Amino acid sequence: MQLFLDTTDVAVLKDLAATGLVDGVTTNPSLIAKSGRNMLEVIAEICDLVEGPVSAEVAATAADQMLAEGRKLAGIATNVVVKVPLTREGLMATREFAHEGIQTNVTLCFSAAQAMLAAKAGATYISPFIGRLDDHGADGMDLITEIRAIYDNYDFDTEILAASVRSPAHVTAAALAGADCCTIPPATFLDLFKHPLTDRGLEAFLKDWAGTGQSIL
Ligand code: E4P
């Protein structure tokens, strides 16, 4: 399971990348807006910090404009993945990007039919939005299961990137459902390390150790 960080916060990314557990980064226009920074600059900085895939989303809605934007974004660094919305125009652009050898992350996927089309268009990654489906009254994880089955039935090599993740439970459920990667907000990423029994157990071990008066070094 590859773990990506869903952020444009370079300081936070630097801190978490130091764990060696961050395989890539995803961004979107809302996260860019939240950063208050120039998109091209922030994507370049993120690409310097992370060797793995860094998704940068186009803002155009027409295929030819998406292609122009995507080619520019892909020129920033070799690990840029062009993020394209799951629309008819988006999939036309995805198909062309595939021919040009430009990696894509097809985003805003809410149905298995959409995911099938994205795979046929040659998407590198498909991003089903788990949390937003849950918010909408559906079970987002069912979508991951359906896409996994379809991709396996037809040997599609598009990778399933579980997105709109809100909790560690989402991450483990996505892993169990066979997602290839999961993009996680920083706060949730930090929560993955935690368990109250770990804290309680460590506290007891440290207390007992101190009582021995020993030192390992
Ligand atoms: C990542 O690729 C998505 O843009 C992101 O996970 C969306 O998350 P949200 O539904 O919490 O905005």
Side-chain angles (χ1 to χ4, degrees), residues 53 58 69 79 85 96 128 135 144 151 155 198 217:
V58 298
E69 290 182 357
N79 54 336
E96 177 56 27
D135 296 345
I144 302 279
Y151 283 8
D155 278 338
T198 305
L217 294 178

Side-chain angles (χ1 to χ4, degrees), residues 64-88:
D64 56 346
Q65 287 301 307
M66 288 184 196
L67 286 168
E69 290 182 357
R71 288 178 190 125
K72 180 165 179 177
L73 293 171
I76 295 175
T78 52
N79 54 336
V80 166
V81 173
V82 178
K83 210 170 168 193
V84 176
L86 207 159
T87 58
R88 185 167 134 172

Side-chain angles (χ1 to χ4, degrees), residues 6 26-28 83 105 107 127 129 132 163-166 183:
D6 198 26
T26 55
T27 67
N28 63 37
K83 210 170 168 193
N105 172 1
T107 187
S127 285
F129 274 39
R132 292 193 197 187
S164 187
V165 156
R166 307 271 162 82
T183 187

Side-chain angles (χ1 to χ4, degrees), residues 88-214:
R88 185 167 134 172
E89 295 284 318
L91 293 189
M92 286 161 62
T94 298
R95 199 168 166 71
E96 177 56 27
F97 283 133
H99 286 139
E100 294 178 18
I102 292 176
Q103 297 211 316
T104 49
N105 172 1
V106 175
T107 187
L108 290 167
C109 172
F110 293 95
S111 80
Q114 288 181 315
M116 187 172 56
L117 292 181
K120 283 179 73 68
T124 315
Y125 300 95
I126 182 71
S127 285
F129 274 39
I130 306 313
R132 292 193 197 187
L133 271 171
D134 288 356
D135 296 345
H136 201 65
D139 184 345
M141 219 47 70
D142 287 347
L143 179 56
I144 302 279
T145 306
E146 287 173 11
I147 299 172
R148 179 75 281 152
I150 292 169
Y151 283 8
D152 288 349
N153 281 349
Y154 296 97
D155 278 338
F156 285 125
D157 53 15
T158 298
E159 293 196 36
I160 302 172
L161 201 181
S164 187
V165 156
R166 307 271 162 82
S167 65
H170 267 160
V171 178
T172 48
L176 286 167
D180 299 288
C181 351
C182 193
T183 187
I184 309 167
T188 307
F189 198 99
L190 285 169
D191 283 343
L192 289 174
F193 289 92
K194 297 177 194 159
H195 196 286
L197 291 180
T198 305
D199 296 340
R200 211 185 302 166
L202 183 59
E203 200 184 311
F205 285 157
L206 291 178
K207 191 169 166 240
D208 291 343
W209 176 250
T212 69
Q214 298 181 44

